[in-house]
């Protein structure tokens, strides 16, 4: 797909070329933008690179949801499957699925459960119930918009028994397939677990000499810029804030971030 479109012809279906260009200049002139690579890099410094492990990370025999300050201990006989920020675990004939969601969505889900019961425990407010069928369909424009937004959010299927644990910064949804909540060994995450789940972030370094970014004598083992891009001494270069392991990050993992921001 082309990055830029040039209006160089007239047609009967659109306003005159000069009018369209004039309108674009008026609209664009009133909006702040980013000029140049240095300004762009200043805006992305400290951003998370790749998947954010704070939403769910396996650390030995524990599933740590650092964004919520929670940890779910796994048993030695549990069969565990992880996919991004979703944990699925089977214990004997029972199964759970656990994932983090935002606080507003958690409150809406909790309030719509059938047969719900709430209890305030040391970890937070827990609401247990069964996901109900959607109420009467709202086909107004606002209703359709709300439904479209909800469809993009993680949510359990109708008829699923769930426990929703609300915390100050969000909530944990646990789909219960036979488990009692007390069997799940939920607890506060330790300081070490929270530190282990800290994501890789972008930092900006500066080339020590001219050449390619791979020859610039900075970011050894941390480069997330294009290795073949040529730079002058002192030019900014995108790096990770720590050494990059093959399981943590690859250049492909940041390609989407880079292209989506127009670099």
């Amino acid at each position: 797909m082309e990055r830029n479109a040039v209006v160089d012809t007239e047609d009967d279906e659109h306003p005159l070329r000069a009018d369209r260009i004039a309108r674009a200049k008026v609209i664009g002139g009133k909006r702040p933008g980013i000029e140049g690579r240095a300004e762009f890099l200043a805006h992305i410094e400290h951003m998370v690179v790749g998947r954010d492990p704070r939403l769910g990370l396996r650390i030995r025999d524990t599933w740590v949801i650092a964004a919520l300050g929670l940890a779910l201990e796994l048993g030695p006989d549990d069969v565990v499957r992880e996919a991004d920020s979703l944990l699925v675990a089977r214990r004997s004939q029972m199964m759970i699925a656990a994932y983090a969601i935002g606080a507003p969505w958690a409150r809406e889900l909790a309030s719509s459960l059938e047969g719900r019961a709430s209890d305030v425990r040391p970890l937070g407010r827990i609401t247990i119930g069964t996901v109900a069928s959607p109420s009467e369909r709202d086909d107004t424009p606002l209703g359709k918009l709300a439904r479209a937004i909800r469809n993009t959010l993680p949510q359990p299927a109708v008829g699923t028994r769930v426990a929703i644990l609300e915390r100050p910064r969000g909530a944990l949804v646990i789909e219960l397939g036979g488990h009692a909540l007390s069997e799940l060994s939920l607890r506060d995450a330790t300081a070490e677990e929270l530190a282990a789940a800290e994501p890789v972030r972008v930092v900006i370094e500066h080339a020590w000499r001219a050449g390619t970014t791979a020859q610039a004598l900075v970011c050894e083992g941390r480069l997330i810029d294009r290795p073949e891009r040529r730079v002058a001494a002192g030019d900014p270069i995108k790096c990770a804030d720590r050494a990059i392991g093959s399981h943590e990050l690859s250049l492909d993992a940041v390609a989407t971030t880079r292209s989506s921001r127009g670099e």
Side-chain angles (χ1 to χ4, degrees):
M1 185 174 68
E2 294 184 5
R3 290 178 178 268
N4 300 297
V6 178
V7 181
D8 55 5
T9 59
E10 305 286 3
D11 64 67
D12 295 334
E13 297 181 359
H14 296 89
L16 293 175
R17 174 176 178 270
D19 289 344
R20 283 183 279 168
I21 292 174
R23 291 176 190 176
K25 287 181 178 179
V26 170
I27 295 172
K30 295 179 180 179
R31 299 191 179 192
I34 295 177
E35 296 183 5
R37 181 175 175 81
E39 189 178 358
F40 165 76
L41 292 178
H43 278 75
I44 69 168
E45 189 165 19
H46 307 305
M47 285 180 58
V48 173
V49 179
R51 185 179 79 84
D52 191 339
R54 293 172 298 180
L55 294 176
L57 179 68
R58 174 82 177 268
I59 300 177
R60 295 181 293 278
D61 292 328
T62 306
W63 181 253
V64 178
I65 312 98
L68 303 177
L70 284 172
L72 195 161
E73 294 181 352
L74 303 169
D77 297 324
D78 289 351
V79 178
V80 178
R81 181 167 58 86
E82 313 149 40
D84 292 333
S85 303
L86 170 69
L87 170 75
V88 178
R90 188 176 68 205
R91 184 174 298 173
S92 298
Q93 300 302 312
M94 301 175 290
M95 183 170 289
I96 68 162
Y99 46 90
I101 62 173
W105 181 225
R107 288 192 292 269
E108 184 174 339
L109 273 179
S111 66
S112 66
L113 296 178
E114 290 182 341
R116 64 181 179 276
S118 292
D119 185 20
V120 177
R121 303 186 187 181
L123 290 178
R125 176 179 293 278
I126 296 176
T127 303
I128 300 178
T130 303
V131 179
S133 299
S135 56
E136 184 177 339
R137 187 182 180 94
D138 182 356
D139 283 327
T140 66
L142 284 178
K144 291 179 179 179
L145 176 60
R147 188 163 60 250
I149 293 172
R150 289 190 191 97
N151 288 339
T152 67
L153 300 173
Q155 55 191 292
V158 172
T160 304
R161 184 167 173 76
V162 300
I164 300 174
L165 171 58
E166 296 180 53
R167 300 277 280 183
R169 292 178 292 175
L172 182 68
V173 174
I174 305 172
E175 300 184 10
L176 302 167
H179 272 287
L181 195 62
S182 58
E183 298 175 1
L184 297 182
S185 303
L186 273 169
R187 57 171 174 79
D188 288 311
T190 66
E192 292 77 12
E193 289 167 339
L194 296 176
E198 271 299 300
V200 175
R201 295 182 183 273
V202 176
V203 294
I204 306 303
E205 306 284 6
H206 293 83
W208 290 3
R209 70 179 186 185
T212 66
T213 57
Q215 300 168 336
L217 301 180
V218 294
C219 304
E220 184 175 353
R222 300 185 293 121
L223 184 66
I224 55 177
D225 218 325
R226 297 194 308 276
E228 71 280 3
R229 188 173 68 82
R230 300 201 65 82
V231 293
D235 280 357
I237 298 174
K238 294 196 299 297
C239 307
D241 62 358
R242 71 196 74 166
I244 302 171
S246 60
H247 66 289
E248 293 179 293
L249 183 65
S250 67
L251 289 172
D252 291 340
V254 299
T256 301
T257 300
R258 186 159 55 228
S259 62
S260 67
R261 295 182 177 273
E263 186 183 354

